[in-house]
Amino acid sequence: MYFRVNCLRKSIKLCRNYSYQLNQERITDFPNSHVTKGVAEHWNNVWNKKNDFYGPENSSFKMILPPPNVTGALHLGHGYTVTIQDVLARWNRMNGNTVTWIPGIDHGGIATQVVVEKYLLATKGLKKNDISKEEFSNELEKWKCQKENIINQQLKYLGASLDWSKEYYTMSKEHNNAVNEAFLILHNRGLLYRKNDLVNWSPALQSTISDIEVDTIDINKKTYLSLPGYNKKITFGEIYDVGFKVKDSNDEIIVSTTRIESMHGDTAIAVNPDDLRYCHLIGKQVYHPLRDIFIPIIGDKEVKINYGTGALKITPGHSRIDLEFAQKHNLQIIQVINEDGLMNENTKSYVGLPRYIARQKILDELTNIGALKEIKDHPMTIPICSRTGDIIEYIIKEQWFLNMKNMSLNAIDAVNNKQLIIDPPKYKKLWFERLDNIKDWCISRQLSWGHKIPAYNCYNNNESYWIVAKNYEDALKLCQIKYGNNFNIKQDCDVLDTWFSAGLLPMTTLGWPNKTYKNNYPLSLMETGHDILIYWVARMVMLCNELTGKLPFNEILLHGILCDSDGKKMSKSLGNVINPEWIINGITIDNLQNETIQNFNNGIINEQELKRANIVNLKNFPDGIPECGIDALRLTFCSLDIKNERVNFDVNECKTNKRFCNKIWQACKFVLLVTDDKQVTKPQVLSSTDRWILSKMSLMIYLVNENIQQRYFHRAVLAIKQFFYYEFCDFYLEATKLGLASDDKNIVDSHKWTMIKCLEVSLRTLSPFMPYLSDDLYSRLEKKLPGFLKITSLNEATYPTSKELDNNRDEKLEEKFDDVIKIVQSMRNILNHINKKFISSVDIIIDDEDDFKFYKANQDFIVSTSRINNLKICKTSDYKEQQDGIYTKECGCQIRYYLTDNNVVNQLKENVLNKRLKVEEKLNKLLDKLSTKKYIDITLEEEKLKNNEKVKTLQLELEKYPKFL
């Protein structure tokens, strides 16, 4: 019923109703609607040809893009990160800051090796051991080159304004030299050492893994799990009570354990000295039913009296807690499970059995000798290798470790002293907790893919010695100094944890260890997901601060984990991962399923994941995904509160934002239609309608800048939509119709100058969020509208500020127009109940003299935006009562609608009364519930707040219904 600037045809029709000339020739080369095809390619060529956009030296704002692993193409989570950083880069650039934003690729360590192994098995039937190390390395390198090219194209396609001249790769020669240099410095400072210690071990990978690669499964009772390498499901979620007889006594200690398979490694039974059940047994021995020896009973206050039976068997070779007990009490350390997950020679007859097959046989043996007392359901947290699905084994292995204590204290102090800002600040608690209790970092990995550890074992017949050196030649010289010519030398065959090389990136991407890095170091900001705050961000802070004496950045911005519309984290296992291109270009359901099948054929997902993905696709996208374009996708990302822990992404929001893109397009087209080539200067006197929209635009600009500064992108987007979608398109453009059709040149010029100004400023405001649409429209309009800058791209423009608009806020005027808009909205609401053709006239009756004058002066605004022509504004004192109609009340005014037919009034009355009764019934039912004592006493405050909002909503709905005269 009212103007929405959604399509050109409707705009033209409405304009002709007001009888003024439309300049059709100005839109002959302007497409009918927003077109996305080919736009990205065109503007990427423009942007990347002008290197000064993205590659200045000595920048005032510097970031690195968290490097995607070369495991595959970018998913939606990557697009989310890229968009957040690109908005900051573009906004800073337009605010006069020189910006360096550095792209890069991470070799991915374990992740890449695993995915390439799966690919070779799925496509060629080859296992890693079927080919030579050199052949496998070549396969890894081919995979890396292919995926790197895809990733870089995706980044450019997403509009990322990166400085490609500074692109890095974490396995490049330069980066490898920097990694070796860092290792050498840390070793020389006594921070790197080699020792036997307990590590996370993946038998399937045959490697140590970091904590971030360990997932957990929580179970509450007996549960069967499928594990790689086992034909049958394995039982978990049980605890076993085993009896240990006390030597030279009739006493027996019952010990509860969930790890029967490691019992051959037991070296003691521990009890709490305050436990009256066992304290008299401390110092005695018990007979071990499997090892056929006696082991000691020790006392330790760390043993929990109320956990299990209160007696704890100590198996230091396979438990971190037990290892600490063993070191404290000088107990023997025995390892009974090998690196391949098979039982070793310390388990007697069980040698060579897989650990969970051995478990059942051990249970059978304990049952036969009467040592197994009971089996019960028991809650467990099971550590799983995220790469293989295998269960982690804790084993003692000689590895390289990095001493983290002092580095972590410095990182804690930096946050406490506010040298380092963490945003959102709620993550400071995690920072303090994890760094205050940090353990030394095992940085060795037993992989084919990664940085070889720059350490060399130098040995002869009598002794061996580890030498750390940048390269083989330096190691050789050091060995000769120690042993002369009588020695052998061999480089450590392990590689470094990927997080070690990634932890150096703020330095290495800026040139470290060359001294030139100081010209650009440190970075301004580190933006990434909160899930890797400790695993990556903290390690960057600790390593870079240790190696340079300076923090690598002063601000950490953490975004939430991207989830689907149901709040589930996007993952292959859940089948809900979305490729950005599917949203940008659209995809049919058949092609969506074919993409999933292709991933299965390439070994990227397994059969179970394939089935789940197909089910999810059919449920969420039965008709496929429509083409939404890059700008709509970016705006959807920015509409999310990035500081929430979990951020729900809904593809339907992309569809809505595509419509917003088209709204902007049609608004620009409309302005072209009602203007001409004549230069319009700012009139001496602007109409109240123009002053109002300029004031609203000034407010919008203030809110957008303030919220980008505070990293609340969703609030900035909300301010933009409130202004452009609602105030500018829905009200202002409609309100100018009568003025543009008038003979008053000042009014016409006032409207034309203002609408052009609003468009020009709005496109600059939108640019960081929607760069393709903004540049495309700006380049078209600058050729035809005065007041637009003659520039290649909005990258060259300045970002709007309130100061630029002479701080032309007029809050009193805004308040007045807020009331006018409420009145118009009330009138529009009436038109939802009754067809406009049945309304003969409308009277707005006002008490207040000032309000009367204001509404009278802006009667054209009300007429144009309400689309009700026969409208009068009257003072209460001068108004003569009439009958047969309906009325509403709004902002101290009574709005009376007189209808052409009494039958219409009666029919409307019946319809409205029925609807009112339903709402009133719903409201009263809710109010009755909220007034009960039970509700008041036990309902949570959060639930009460939700219900109070429901009450307000229903009350507002009632107020919208018309009343009858």
Side-chain angles (χ1 to χ4, degrees), residues 411-429:
I412 289 170
D413 288 344
V415 173
N416 273 328
N417 299 333
K418 298 183 179 178
Q419 296 171 287
L420 182 62
I421 304 300
I422 298 178
D423 184 18
K426 65 183 177 183
Y427 293 110
K428 289 197 293 186
K429 182 182 177 185

Side-chain angles (χ1 to χ4, degrees), residues 44 53 100 154 252 311 455 512 522 524 563 568 572 675 711 737 790 820 849 909 927 960:
N44 277 323
F53 284 164
T100 293
Q154 284 182 295
E252 184 178 49
W512 189 91
S524 309
C563 302
K568 294 176 183 175
K572 288 188 297 181
T675 56
R711 320 307 192 207
K737 295 282 190 344
K790 304 300 178 185
V820 170
E849 179 70 27
K909 186 182 291 188
L927 289 172
K960 291 179 181 178

Side-chain angles (χ1 to χ4, degrees), residues 438-664:
I438 199 166
K439 292 182 174 66
D440 287 356
W441 176 13
C442 173
I443 58 175
S444 302
R445 298 292 179 267
Q446 292 67 44
L447 302 171
S448 304
W449 186 240
H451 293 279
K452 291 292 292 288
I453 292 178
Y456 302 81
N457 187 226
C458 186
Y459 60 95
N460 57 27
N461 294 329
N462 301 316
E463 60 178 331
S464 67
Y465 183 76
W466 281 97
I467 288 175
V468 172
K470 282 192 218 180
N471 51 51
Y472 180 84
E473 290 72 22
D474 287 355
L476 200 62
K477 291 175 185 176
L478 292 169
C479 281
Q480 286 173 333
I481 292 170
K482 184 170 180 65
Y483 294 117
N485 293 320
N486 183 27
F487 67 89
N488 295 297
I489 186 170
K490 182 181 179 183
Q491 185 173 2
D492 193 338
C493 58
D494 289 349
V495 299
L496 286 165
D497 182 1
T498 306
W499 294 108
F500 183 85
S501 57
L504 307 174
L505 286 175
M507 309 182 314
T508 56
T509 53
L510 298 174
W512 189 91
N514 297 327
K515 290 183 180 179
T516 53
Y517 87 95
K518 294 180 180 179
N519 296 333
N520 290 301
Y521 185 85
L523 300 171
S524 309
L525 170 72
M526 186 65 238
E527 191 283 328
T528 190
H530 70 74
D531 55 326
I532 52 174
L533 173 63
I534 303 302
Y535 301 112
W536 186 40
V537 180
R539 284 168 173 168
M540 284 190 283
V541 170
M542 290 186 283
L543 284 172
C544 295
N545 193 38
E546 174 66 32
L547 292 166
T548 69
K550 282 185 179 180
L551 293 171
F553 32 76
N554 302 114
E555 180 186 355
I556 300 166
L557 175 61
L558 302 168
H559 64 247
I561 304 303
L562 198 69
C563 302
D564 64 18
S565 56
D566 295 325
K568 294 176 183 175
K569 183 178 177 181
M570 292 187 181
S571 69
K572 288 188 297 181
S573 60
L574 292 176
N576 59 353
V577 173
I578 300 174
N579 187 317
E581 280 83 355
W582 298 344
I583 297 173
I584 293 168
N585 301 320
I587 189 169
T588 65
I589 185 61
D590 289 340
N591 287 340
L592 196 57
Q593 302 296 53
N594 288 337
E595 289 271 352
T596 310
I597 292 168
Q598 187 62 42
N599 285 338
F600 169 72
N601 292 337
N602 288 336
I604 295 171
I605 59 176
N606 59 37
E607 190 172 356
Q608 187 178 10
E609 291 165 344
L610 170 66
K611 290 177 181 176
R612 192 171 289 123
N614 285 337
I615 291 168
V616 170
N617 288 339
L618 282 169
K619 177 190 170 187
N620 293 341
F621 314 113
D623 301 317
I625 302 173
E627 177 193 340
C628 296
I630 300 167
D631 292 299
L633 175 60
R634 286 175 59 112
L635 196 66
T636 304
F637 285 139
C638 295
S639 301
L640 305 170
D641 185 351
I642 67 170
K643 296 187 185 183
N644 282 343
E645 282 192 36
R646 298 172 78 86
V647 181
N648 294 0
F649 181 91
D650 189 346
V651 172
N652 289 320
E653 286 299 310
C654 292
K655 300 177 194 175
T656 300
N657 285 321
K658 185 184 180 183
R659 289 194 289 271
F660 179 55
C661 292
N662 202 49
K663 183 96 163 177
I664 298 165

Side-chain angles (χ1 to χ4, degrees), residues 806-821:
D806 302 320
N807 295 309
N808 57 359
R809 284 291 307 281
D810 187 335
E811 293 183 38
K812 287 185 178 179
L813 183 65
E814 287 180 26
E815 289 173 8
K816 288 283 190 185
F817 266 98
D818 285 345
D819 287 345
V820 170
I821 287 172

